[in-house]
Amino acid sequence: MESTRYRLIELLETSNHQYVSGQFLSEKLNISRSAIWKHMKELEKDGYLIEGVRRKGYRIAGSPDKVSENTLHWGLQTKWLGKNIIHKTTTNSTQQVAHQAARDNAEHGTVIIADEQTRGKGRMARQWHSTRNKGIWMSMILRPSIPPAAAPQLTLLAATVLADVITKYTSAEPKIKWPNDLLVNDKKTAGILTEMQAEQDRIQYIAAGIGINVNHSNNDFPEDISNKATSLKLETGEDQQIVQIIQKILMSFEKAYDSFIQDGFSDVKNKWESYGYKIGEAIRIRTNSELLDATFTGIAEDGALIVQSETDGPRRIYSGEIEWFRK
């Protein structure tokens, strides 16, 4: 159920910055005018600029670039994604929170977001450094009616959404490194971690984690990754508005997800390949059993990497360590 404060924000937003009377808000929300005043004070604590004028009412004159449930709802034009937001100032990992929330029956489209992660994780249990208030550390709970075997396609879909948003709203030029990283100028700026709880033929839920380095400076990165990581600020020379980027991601993801559920993976595949890092170039793949030199040609419908080997012809790769930066 939508919170009273979210519905209050929605009413103020649709007023186009005109004053809305306390009596009107009281009747719409079925709460007292003193309760309306208390909600306004809570919005002010979040950094909203509230103007209250006698006999006119209230209006929001300005909103902060501070991540909170309220600021994310303000201006978020989605039908189901992010209607329920769990915001944490600090947490071990938004993925851990998402798993627990999903087990507690959190609804499809619930978003978990944190200012800071102390034990953020990436693929293959690698640590993700999540500097406080400098990036986007977020997980989405999804309950898709698709076979469990199709779940990896959602990782690829999420990557195309991030690439589209970064391309459209910043001057950075991202590439997607299979299967789950976004690079700018050959350095990692974002990653995706998709984890699933499923039965044999049915997905119970998916926790789709997204981490983006947004306003990091060079000294925000640990020394061991400083030559491999970057941020949108470092690449564009400009501070980015984190709340707006989150909203753009949620709105774009909802639209892309709905299209994927209705129309399948084909459009996602084509878009992914348009951003694909080193498509058409030689890469080296290390698996448990072999070392393979091949040309990266695209991705398969099931999300596998497709390579062309001189000796074996086209092959699908599902796992392995890939040397992307061969000289």
Side-chain angles (χ1 to χ4, degrees):
M1 181 178 291
E2 294 175 341
S3 71
T4 299
R5 195 164 303 151
Y6 172 49
R7 290 169 60 208
L8 173 60
I9 290 173
E10 217 172 24
L11 288 169
L12 292 170
E13 182 189 13
T14 55
S15 71
N16 295 317
H17 299 288
Q18 300 300 311
Y19 288 97
V20 182
S21 74
Q23 184 62 36
F24 174 82
L25 295 172
S26 176
E27 291 173 356
K28 282 289 185 180
L29 300 175
N30 196 29
I31 59 177
S32 68
R33 294 182 68 170
S34 63
I36 296 290
W37 182 83
K38 289 179 182 178
H39 279 294
M40 294 298 180
K41 290 302 176 184
E42 288 300 314
L43 290 175
E44 287 180 335
K45 290 180 183 178
D46 263 347
Y48 285 94
L49 179 61
I50 305 292
E51 290 183 356
V53 177
R54 188 177 177 84
R55 294 196 177 91
K56 282 189 174 182
Y58 301 95
R59 75 183 184 102
I60 293 182
S63 57
D65 188 38
K66 171 187 175 183
V67 175
S68 72
E69 180 181 346
N70 293 327
T71 58
L72 290 174
H73 277 146
W74 177 264
L76 180 62
Q77 298 172 2
T78 56
K79 297 177 181 177
W80 54 266
L81 183 57
K83 294 302 182 184
N84 180 33
I85 293 175
I86 300 171
H87 172 249
K88 300 287 186 180
T89 302
T90 299
T91 188
N92 286 346
S93 162
T94 60
Q95 285 292 89
Q96 289 184 10
V97 178
H99 282 293
Q100 185 59 56
R103 290 192 290 268
D104 292 338
N105 298 316
E107 64 189 22
H108 172 67
T110 295
V111 172
I112 296 90
I113 194 150
D115 298 336
E116 175 187 43
Q117 295 181 118
T118 56
R119 295 181 183 177
K121 59 180 181 176
R123 186 168 167 261
M124 299 177 71
R126 295 189 178 103
Q127 184 178 3
W128 182 279
H129 297 277
S130 312
T131 310
R132 187 179 183 86
N133 296 326
K134 293 293 183 78
I136 295 170
W137 325 122
M138 175 172 72
S139 296
M140 300 176 290
I141 297 173
L142 306 171
R143 300 185 185 274
S145 298
I146 59 174
Q153 295 176 343
L154 286 171
T155 300
L156 304 173
L157 181 149
T160 65
V161 168
L162 296 192
D164 274 350
V165 169
I166 291 171
T167 298
K168 187 172 182 180
Y169 298 103
T170 80
S171 59
E173 298 180 2
K175 291 289 185 180
I176 304 173
K177 181 169 72 68
W178 185 86
N180 66 336
D181 291 340
L182 268 75
L183 307 183
V184 179
N185 290 327
D186 294 329
K187 291 186 176 183
K188 184 171 179 176
T189 192
I192 299 157
L193 177 63
T194 301
E195 298 173 313
M196 173 176 64
Q197 184 67 37
E199 298 168 359
Q200 185 173 0
D201 59 351
R202 185 178 71 89
I203 294 174
Q204 294 178 357
Y205 69 85
I206 287 174
I210 292 172
I212 308 176
N213 302 328
V214 180
N215 286 327
H216 295 64
S217 300
N218 281 316
N219 58 9
D220 289 317
F221 295 115
E223 186 176 346
D224 61 327
I225 64 168
S226 60
N227 64 334
K228 301 175 184 177
T230 189
S231 70
L232 297 181
K233 177 182 178 179
L234 287 171
E235 296 302 323
T236 64
E238 300 174 341
D239 282 308
Q240 305 293 327
Q241 294 184 306
I242 289 177
V243 168
Q244 289 189 13
I245 293 175
I246 295 168
Q247 290 175 329
K248 299 298 184 186
I249 290 169
L250 295 179
M251 290 186 285
S252 297
F253 186 90
E254 181 183 87
K255 183 177 180 181
Y257 177 94
D258 287 344
S259 296
F260 163 72
I261 295 298
Q262 180 174 334
D263 302 325
F265 186 63
S266 179
D267 287 346
V268 176
K269 178 181 184 297
N270 292 336
K271 179 164 283 190
W272 194 101
E273 290 177 338
S274 74
Y275 285 112
Y277 182 66
K278 298 229 171 152
I279 284 186
E281 298 184 34
I283 59 175
R284 176 170 287 174
I285 305 149
R286 295 179 182 272
T287 67
N288 290 333
S289 59
E290 65 177 331
L291 180 65
L292 175 67
D293 289 313
T295 300
F296 176 26
T297 60
I299 57 172
E301 285 288 333
D302 59 0
L305 187 97
I306 301 177
V307 297
Q308 182 76 29
S309 165
E310 288 185 5
T311 55
D312 300 332
R315 289 182 54 176
R316 295 188 180 196
I317 303 296
Y318 291 92
S319 64
E321 286 295 312
I322 300 172
E323 295 182 16
W324 295 100
F325 305 106
R326 295 181 62 200
K327 296 182 180 178

